[in-house]
Amino acid sequence: MKWKRFKFLLILLLVPFIMGQSEGQKAEAPAEKAMPPGDAKNGQIVYEKRCVWCHGWAGAGDGPAADRLRPRPRDFTKGKYKIRTSLSGKLPTDRNLFDAISNGLHGTGMPAWRNVISDQEISDVAMYIKSFSKKFKRWAKKGKPIPEIEVGPEVPSSPESIEKGKQIFLKLECWKCHGKSGKASGPSMPTLQDDWKFPIRPANFTKPWNFRGGNRRIDIYRRFNTGVMGTPMASFKSSLDNEKSWHLVNFIESLSPTKKRPGVEEIVRVAEVEGDIPMDFEDPVWQSATKYFFPLLGQFQIEPRQFWTTIHDVNMKGLHNGEDVAFYFEWDDPTKSPIDPTKVYPLQYRDAFYLQFPLKMPSDPTKKPYFVGGDKKRAAGVWFWESESMKTVLLKAKGLFKTKVVGDATPIETKAVYDDGRWRVIMKRKMQTGNEKELQIETGKFLPLSFHAQDGSDGDFGTKRNVSTWYWLVLEPKISDTRYAVAGIVFVLVLGLEFVWIRKQSNS
Amino acid sequence: MKLNSFVKGILVTVGLYAALIVLFGAVTLFGMVEVNINGILFEESSSNILPSSIQYMYIFFIFVGVVLYYTSSAEKIEETIRPMANFVFNPEKKASIKVGQYTMYSVLPFFFAFVGYNQMTPKFPEPIALRVIHPAPPTTIKIFGEPHNLVSLENPYRQYEKSDPEEFKQLALEGGFIYFKNCFFCHGDFLDGRGMTSLNLNPVPANFQDVGTIAMLQEAFLFWRIGTGGPGLPDESWPWQSAMPIWQNILTQQEVWKVILFLYDYTPPQITPRTFS
């Protein structure tokens, strides 16, 4: 064969690999990138094109978008910055500003600008925003560098270190805000405000993808040593040393199985089990069922709108046994509402969850009701649970303002518990009910489903809710073991045929 | 050694496919970049010039072409088939071929057993439906309570672009205010469809920086899309699934025209409204 030609083909095949490699490298940690020196004059141009919409023309955090973001865009005139390496109470370094603008503040409206503008522009605009507060100029007159915290040798994670971290977490009373389980459900949580008198929630340690300053170990170390300025999250440096700090980091990390937000599947596959489906959350049958993760967003469609999420996501599991089907939901909510169930509270103080299906099995399942509570043409059937009665009812929904309870619907057996920042609800119903006014669920048939959730203590009520668009649900039958038998028979058959063939070949 | 045409056919198929990959940015297959939307990192192919369905179509055509070429004459067919026959019957009793044969004999039972197993495992693939991104608009629409003819409808503020640039700038700025009170959550600060909610949505919010959206649409079309939102779409575009709100319920007619001005004003200069003339 002509080697030259072959070589050409080989190169053609290899090029994509090489290109892929270099792409991969580009995406690497931005923090180690060199920072070009910035020019405030040019920064003003960038600022007035990109940042005024949120941070306002005078940097006071009052741009047109400000009222509809929580946390609100930063008011730069106070010189208070969250993401620093500098000591508590000190200004951020230029590098801190560069990194904060590059990476954004995760889980807030502040985007990662490195996707959009150049490093030079980021440096320039960082210089410009310093001009909004006199503090920077005053400090510059001193001619001293900004003092930064030191990070000593790392203590790797181990069960002992995590246990020590936990003790520190309890002793320093981090749990009063962050909750014993780290789900932001501490007793002080409802009263917390930032320096601008807006309510603020502590970080949820089980969702590290929302940590404002990033979730690398070093980021976490820095946050509680520098404090998150402008918020009740103070610096704990005086009560800690390097070793204790790393124990605390190891403990915080141990509260979350993953640093990345879980992936989202389009299809919820419900497996078949034998016997009764347990209504017990801790039952091993439930523990081993596949968990699906669904993010929620605000309700932007119908007035009054909800611009930020109060419940960011729900987890779902499903099981059926050919007769009953049951769904298990789990979501984080730092407060249980109504706060005191013995008193009568206005309706808005209850937590609620809506599991949406089409009201009846549509002839064409790809045609669905509107995801925000159905529409005139196609009604949604909503399994509606709320925390006051702790019961689930079926709603017929032809729009958010046109819902009514279906009186003679088949009861949906419900169990709900609230513990330390988390709601868990199981809903169970007959698959086939014989009532033609409601959904009949069959194995192997695809059904659209979507979710809405409300956090009563955050003022969610009526149209104020967190929503998702449609996903698919399918109940899968138990797969019979005949497939193993079939595989075995085919194996033996093919082997036999081969044997006959080889005999014939060697005879001829 | 002269390559027989069977092997040649395979090499040509692979080679042409590789050429395609190189031409259109292979990256569709190998180059994943990490994207960060408000702290949520996800991997995305760095080029989506060629969707995989088109790639499959392309490789299918190459394959058919190669098969046609190598079966175009009796000689060619003979030449192509000979190596296969040699392998199966091994008339010269070559040892190397024997090794190949026995390898095949030992693999085949496993292969068919797997096929059988796979056949017996029930599959539940997602119902397939394709979404039309830019459906044909109706010619007359009722929007803001009035009937409009989409063909003759024009942006009442567009004229100021030439006649009064100062006024135009002011109107576009007002459009910006409307955008950053209502739209950026989904369509993003950079108008690239990467707002903070965008990862949670399917279909994803339109990317106005892309030459495939507003640059190929008339302003009247946008007026219809913004005014009637997701639910205003025909069934083939999934009105029940689009998160795009019905803005005629929330904004005024003037506000919609202003936000349209802003969309074209804030994006690169090559993105201009399409006109009928």
Side-chain angles (χ1 to χ4, degrees), chain B residues 8 14 37 64 67 84 99 136 158 172-173 188 191 208 256 258 274:
Chain B
K8 249 197 248 165
V14 172
I37 296 187
V64 170
V67 168
M84 293 192 230
V99 172
R158 183 57 63 188
L173 181 68
L191 280 60
F208 304 129
V256 172
K258 283 180 198 163
R274 193 157 139 193

Side-chain angles (χ1 to χ4, degrees), chain A residues 309-442:
Chain A
T309 42
T310 44
I311 295 167
H312 307 294
D313 37 63
V314 293
N315 290 296
M316 172 179 185
K317 296 175 181 184
L319 289 175
H320 78 100
N321 61 7
E323 228 168 82
D324 295 328
V325 60
F327 305 112
Y328 171 125
F329 299 100
E330 189 181 289
W331 70 92
D332 288 356
D333 176 344
T335 48
K336 181 186 180 189
S337 327
I339 293 153
D340 181 354
T342 59
K343 291 195 189 130
V344 181
Y345 279 86
L347 277 176
Q348 59 258 44
Y349 291 111
R350 67 188 186 188
D351 296 328
F353 187 80
Y354 306 69
L355 169 61
Q356 285 194 141
F357 292 111
L359 183 66
K360 280 185 258 173
M361 187 65 169
S363 51
D364 176 358
T366 61
K367 290 193 169 42
K368 306 165 193 175
Y370 189 36
F371 76 96
V372 193
D375 54 275
K376 263 187 257 149
K377 218 159 57 177
R378 302 182 186 96
V382 181
W383 298 20
F384 170 60
W385 170 88
E386 44 84 12
S387 64
E388 213 164 14
S389 66
M390 299 285 253
K391 289 204 171 71
T392 308
V393 294
L394 179 69
L395 302 179
K396 175 178 176 181
K398 294 193 143 190
L400 284 190
F401 300 114
K402 287 215 180 81
T403 54
K404 57 172 191 263
V405 178
V406 180
D408 54 351
T410 313
I412 298 164
E413 196 184 333
T414 304
K415 184 158 180 202
V417 292
Y418 181 84
D419 62 72
D420 205 7
R422 172 179 65 169
W423 273 113
R424 283 182 294 172
V425 178
I426 296 180
M427 301 175 181
K428 181 157 99 175
R429 205 202 76 176
K430 289 248 163 308
M431 287 163 60
Q432 300 288 329
T433 65
N435 181 348
E436 62 194 44
K437 279 201 217 130
E438 64 191 11
L439 185 71
Q440 306 299 314
I441 300 174
E442 286 172 53

Side-chain angles (χ1 to χ4, degrees), chain A residues 280-306:
Chain A
D280 173 10
F281 300 97
E282 308 301 338
D283 196 285
V285 181
W286 278 119
Q287 294 299 327
S288 59
T290 315
K291 195 169 182 175
Y292 295 89
F293 172 89
F294 298 103
L296 303 178
L297 64 147
Q299 194 279 107
F300 292 91
Q301 283 74 22
I302 288 150
E303 295 272 33
R305 291 172 280 169
Q306 166 105 320

